[in-house]
Amino acid sequence: MSRLFKSLFGQVVLALILGVVVGLVWPEQAVKLKPLGDGFIKLIKMLIPFIVFGVVVHGIAGTGDLKRVGRVGIKALIYFEVVTSIALVLGLVLAWVFQPGVGMNIDPNTLDGAALSSYKDNANKLSGGGFTEFALRLIPTTALSGFVTGDVLQVLLVAILFGCALALLGPRGARITEAIDDLSHALFKTMGLLIRLAPLGVLGAIAFTVGKYGIGSLKQLGMLVALFFAATIFFVSVVLGLIMRISGFSLWKLLRYLREELMVVLATTSSDSVLPQIMAKLKALGIRDSTVGLVIPTGYSFNLDAFSIYITLAAVFIAQATNTPISTADLLAILAISLVTSKGAHGVPGSAIVVLAATLQAIPAIPAIGLVLVLSVDWFMGIARALGNLIGNCVATVAVAAWEGDIDRERAHAVLDGRAPGHSAP
């Protein structure tokens, strides 16, 4: 027990238990602990752009093989589209088969849309310009804009261009590459200091949730939440499990290897909170730096597996709850539109509701005001979304690395089997 609670995993589990106790016994005080969770996530996020930049630049420039980098990028995008399409179809099928909204008989005219006012502008921005507008948002106003706003995709674009330039410079670029590598190590060491605060962040986040909603609320969220959790578990176990098996590895061993990060995400409902640690652990697994640096940051916007299930499931749920008839054409429209809108989710405030609103705006048959029904349980669904998205991106990195031959299989099996030491952020 002493060894367990000296580890980060043990401390996070203990913080999780204490958070539930505090939320139950002192709910009013527990709600006031929310800044602990918010502050922890902000501390992590402030370093993410710089860590992504360092890993990607060093990975590309250190490799020196720009054709390999291009192949990895193309293969990653192909993988993202195929797997997220499967997730979107799964959400549609489950909603159609289990019909979680049937019988609610909600009159859209009786719903108060005031709670959605803060999401409307972002939804209009997301859906108004289509793919062209989304593509233009990837280009920062200046080279430093992405670092200031925390937009990972903008930072990634700058890092790819800079890494390619250093690779083309040859020996002259090697000095800069080495300096960036040293800077990356310093950033990971800084992250190691911040991650020690994870138990406090978990305590604050879970205490706030239990204090505000009550532990009993976890049992009364309805069929929609239960169905979404079941769908995410099914997708991870079957679809991602099969992908890992095809790649030559065990999904369950990977989950055990990432257990500390998964516990933090469980409590904070934010996969951003562990992005640097995930990148460090995947590199320690024997995956090439440039592959980790390209697949993980890109996947945070383009490979949102659980999020994709949520979008189609919630859209059909709203139609069913409001007795809105939807045809096969409407279902196909939801699928096609979600393929585009879901790619702009990361970094958008209230992204789940915003993307769902943007999707419904393009399908007039479904009353967008029905979003109010989903809003009340969105936080709880966010737990499964964050965990499913994170696991999906880790599996994607292993799969693309195996596809490209960018993983040291012997090293990976040794780490996953516990025969070689893994890696936590230093």
Side-chain angles (χ1 to χ4, degrees):
M1 291 296 292
S2 175
R3 289 181 61 187
L4 174 64
F5 291 119
K6 284 182 180 179
S7 68
L8 179 62
F9 175 73
Q11 292 169 6
V12 168
V13 171
L14 179 61
L16 195 66
I17 296 171
L18 288 176
V20 172
V21 173
V22 172
L24 287 173
V25 180
W26 302 287
E28 293 184 3
Q29 287 71 25
V31 172
K32 297 177 183 178
L33 294 178
K34 187 174 185 290
L36 288 177
D38 293 345
F40 171 69
I41 293 175
K42 288 186 70 175
L43 283 171
I44 298 297
K45 281 187 173 182
M46 76 178 183
L47 290 182
I48 286 176
F50 301 98
I51 288 177
V52 168
F53 179 82
V55 170
V56 173
V57 170
H58 179 262
I60 294 175
T63 301
D65 186 351
L66 299 186
K67 289 183 178 179
R68 175 185 289 273
V69 173
R71 286 199 310 270
V72 170
I74 292 173
K75 288 178 178 179
L77 290 177
I78 293 172
Y79 174 95
F80 295 161
E81 285 304 313
V82 171
V83 177
T84 53
S85 295
I86 293 172
L88 288 167
V89 171
L90 177 63
L92 276 181
V93 171
L94 290 177
W96 192 254
V97 172
F98 289 95
Q99 302 186 335
V102 171
M104 294 185 71
N105 300 319
I106 302 294
D107 181 357
N109 296 320
T110 64
L111 297 176
D112 182 8
L116 298 175
S117 58
S118 60
Y119 301 98
K120 288 181 180 178
D121 290 341
N122 283 327
N124 289 329
K125 291 176 184 178
L126 192 61
S127 60
F131 177 79
T132 302
E133 183 63 28
F134 170 70
L136 288 175
R137 286 205 310 271
L138 299 181
I139 305 174
T141 304
T142 69
L144 298 178
S145 296
F147 294 91
V148 175
T149 61
D151 191 316
V152 174
L153 285 183
Q154 291 186 353
V155 172
L156 184 61
L157 176 62
V158 174
I160 291 173
L161 292 174
F162 194 68
C164 291
L166 289 180
L168 294 172
L169 279 175
R172 295 184 64 182
R175 295 193 298 271
I176 302 176
T177 302
E178 186 177 343
I180 290 176
D181 185 38
D182 291 338
L183 177 62
S184 295
H185 279 84
L187 289 170
F188 275 113
K189 179 64 69 174
T190 305
M191 184 60 64
L193 298 175
L194 295 181
I195 202 60
R196 296 177 187 273
L197 300 175
L200 283 178
V202 168
L203 172 64
I206 205 67
F208 165 79
T209 303
V210 175
K212 183 172 182 179
Y213 299 105
I215 194 69
S217 61
L218 297 174
K219 302 176 182 178
Q220 301 169 355
L221 295 176
M223 188 173 179
L224 174 65
V225 178
L227 184 59
F228 178 61
F229 271 74
T232 303
I233 292 172
F234 174 84
F235 184 86
V236 170
S237 303
V238 177
V239 179
L240 298 184
L242 179 61
I243 291 172
M244 282 293 290
R245 177 169 294 187
I246 293 172
S247 301
F249 300 96
S250 166
L251 172 67
W252 309 115
K253 290 180 180 179
L254 179 67
L255 296 182
R256 183 180 62 189
Y257 177 56
L258 302 174
R259 61 187 181 276
E260 294 173 356
E261 289 72 25
L262 293 175
M263 288 297 294
V264 172
V265 172
L266 171 68
T268 60
T269 69
S270 170
S271 55
D272 281 348
S273 60
V274 296
L275 187 149
Q277 302 97 287
I278 286 294
M279 294 176 71
K281 277 198 165 184
L282 290 173
K283 287 196 297 177
L285 200 61
I287 300 175
R288 190 186 293 266
D289 286 13
S290 56
T291 301
V292 173
L294 283 174
V295 178
I296 285 290
T298 310
Y300 263 56
S301 277
F302 288 87
N303 187 47
L304 304 175
D305 297 338
F307 191 96
S308 298
I309 297 172
Y310 167 84
I311 291 297
T312 49
L313 179 62
V316 177
F317 166 80
I318 291 171
Q320 294 170 346
T322 55
N323 294 323
T324 302
I326 49 176
S327 63
T328 302
D330 291 327
L331 292 175
L332 292 176
I334 292 172
L335 181 62
I337 294 165
S338 298
L339 277 171
V340 177
T341 56
S342 62
K343 300 302 184 289
H346 188 260
V348 178
S351 58
I353 297 298
V354 169
V355 172
L356 187 53
T359 303
L360 295 182
Q361 282 180 0
I363 308 171
I366 303 176
I369 191 66
L371 286 168
V372 174
L373 301 173
V374 180
L375 188 61
S376 60
V377 295
D378 183 69
W379 189 93
F380 295 95
M381 298 177 79
I383 297 173
R385 277 200 308 266
L387 286 170
N389 291 341
L390 176 65
I391 295 169
N393 280 311
C394 292
V395 170
T397 307
V398 173
V400 172
W403 188 1
E404 179 64 18
D406 279 350
I407 184 170
D408 183 339
R409 290 182 175 273
E410 184 177 344
R411 165 71 181 171
H413 282 298
V415 171
L416 293 178
D417 290 340
R419 292 183 285 106
H423 177 81
S424 296

